[in-house]
Amino acid sequence: MTAELVRGQNHTLPQTRLEIRVSAGTPVVAGATLGDERGTVHGIEWIAHPGSPQLPGLEVSRQAAADHRLAVDLDAMPAAVHRVTVLLALPMEAGGPVRFGAVAAPFVAVTGLEGTEIATFTLTGLDAESAVAALELYRRQGDWKVRAVGQGYAGGLAAMLADQGVTAAAELARSIHEAVARGMARSVAPPPPRTPDGDRVRHTAAIGDPAQPVSPSAGPAPSRPTAATDSTAGGPTAGASTGPINYAHPRRQATAPPPPLPTAPPAEPGRPAQPVAGDATGWSMEERLYNQVWGMFEDLARSTAAYRSAVDFAESRMDQELDRALSDPRNRIGGAGDRAREEARAKRDQLTDRAREALDRDLAQLAAESAVVEPALPAAFAGWDNPVWHAYRVPMEIPMALRIGDLHLPENPDLRIPLLVRLPLERGIWVDSGRTASEAAALTDADRLRRLAMDNAVAHAARLLAAYPAGEFSVHVIDPAGSAAAALAPLVNSGVLAGPPASGAGGVASVLAHLTRRVDLVQMAIRAGAADSLPPELDTAEQLLIVNDFPHGFDDRAVTQLRYLADEGPSVGVHLLMVADREDASAYGPVLDPLWRSLLRITPVADDHLADPWVGHAWTYEPLRTPPGSRVLEQVLAQVAAARRTGRRP
């Protein structure tokens, strides 16, 4: 029976291998400190946080998230540890909540590895606090117990750490928040939450009548039997913030989406059900497929996390058994010591093999699901090698999302999960052309890497153009030195660009001034509630700015304007697609750190830099490539250009 704790109450723990699950409703930082009998923390090596997530017997999340799962093995704790305190803090991100009183009360549950709840605690009564000691696990007369704490700190993470005896608490708190900011910059954004009646929530209004609903950019969170969905807010569309707006798809009823259709044949006894495409909730097949892809993403993340946790436990258990066996000097020589080693390793191998069998079953099921989902994906969700592109027609409305690559984990590199980003884009994209980004990049010639990066950017621009109705998406290019002429040829030759690529300092200044003026005018019109007063010559289509070879050709004013577009542009339909090597801009120092963090970093070669929003695995990103010899990209751009000339779909 689950113990529902109130502040100050304790409960005996029946086992020592646990999970601590946090549900906060908004992204929070989760960490833990190890304390002695008095609760004193003896240095930073006794603290697990996103910048240093693992300690003996303890692992915490590597980034801020609305949901966390902390792994705890109390038997693996050092003998000097008598207290484990779970900490929660609000991340120091611009525009985010600054006190727990402004968000839903966090919920913390101590569970067994199978998910059975042992004790729960809802942290009510918080107000100005931005950090809180949620609960503690403590050792008493050889037994471990859990106590609900709920002690908040208006002084934030620094005050909480200082209260536990940590020296240089302010510096440590600052480094933790910096690690969180880096993690949030590389995290793939989860689907937006739903309201209780099933509608998605937007936090911005569209250009035009604020009362009119805007088209959705993503489906609701995946609905799968084992999914525990994250719940971060939906991102901006072409508008300014006017408070949450409930909206429905133009073809959608104002009710919750129906469950998956029973299209799969009944499973045979003892065998898993056969996967089918669209096996998820949603009002349309597109929405079902979107949610199904996200469900596969989450299932693979959690299955792999369970496997890695089991392997870590097996290794930890073997080390403990060896330590106990060899602590007796009589066992260090002769056959007794050898037998102890063999028995410990045999148990380790047995546990590891069982974990791998469970993982292989999950991987086989996901691979079978992927095999039926991939051929059914619409063009916006599909790779360039999917036959759906040969039947491409310019759409009448934008899709929910766009595929910009694939993700996979080392446990099964052949199982690829489509990386879908919501439309309209909620943050810019940075194609990293630097050679220090990854091992694969370091092994690639610098000139070839730059060409691959620009080819990658052009392919993304083509996919964005293909996803929008005719005339609703414009592309501008800044190529200061003209070095990307060959890569830009498909865009230039098809006539889909808003103008010729801008070169030189004058061209850079002209394009940036044009887009900055557009952002300013639209923002002012929306704030004044006078969208109909926009100049008639203003292009209200979504705008994409491709920037090559940054910061070449940029003066200080141009850099400031680019940062402004990165920050303010997405909310009014102006988006960045940068091809740059961060080392080339190193002279600007930390001034450009907010710019890099605001962009979704991808690479022209494989690189394991992206994190999922559930457990924070490092996923290998693979860019999409057109098949060798294929002219699919040129054919798609020709269709887009023809639709623009006729003003309708061809």
Side-chain angles (χ1 to χ4, degrees), residues 134-150:
L135 54 79
E136 63 182 14
L137 313 178
Y138 63 98
R139 200 196 310 251
R140 180 66 56 83
Q141 297 178 347
D143 294 327
W144 283 92
K145 297 184 177 183
V146 56
R147 177 186 291 120
V149 180

Side-chain angles (χ1 to χ4, degrees), residues 6 134 221 288 422:
V6 296
R288 291 174 186 273
R422 299 194 290 271

Side-chain angles (χ1 to χ4, degrees), residues 101-237:
V103 301
F107 174 81
V108 184
V110 180
T111 76
L113 296 184
E114 73 288 350
T116 303
E117 289 185 347
I118 299 170
T120 64
F121 176 40
T122 301
L123 285 77
T124 58
L126 297 176
D127 186 13
E129 300 88 346
S130 60
V132 59
L135 54 79
E136 63 182 14
L137 313 178
Y138 63 98
R139 200 196 310 251
R140 180 66 56 83
Q141 297 178 347
D143 294 327
W144 283 92
K145 297 184 177 183
V146 56
R147 177 186 291 120
V149 180
Q151 175 64 53
Y153 295 84
L157 192 57
M160 181 166 53
L161 293 173
D163 191 43
Q164 296 189 35
V166 178
T167 58
E171 291 79 0
L172 177 58
R174 184 165 49 251
S175 69
I176 292 173
H177 283 299
E178 290 173 354
V180 170
R182 292 192 298 269
M184 295 180 74
R186 72 188 187 97
S187 176
V188 179
R194 286 180 294 172
T195 61
D197 62 359
D199 287 340
R200 291 185 296 274
V201 176
R202 297 296 284 190
H203 293 265
T204 56
I207 296 177
D209 184 0
Q212 294 299 318
V214 296
S215 297
S217 66
S223 177
R224 293 167 70 90
T226 59
T229 307
D230 214 83
S231 57
T232 56
T237 58

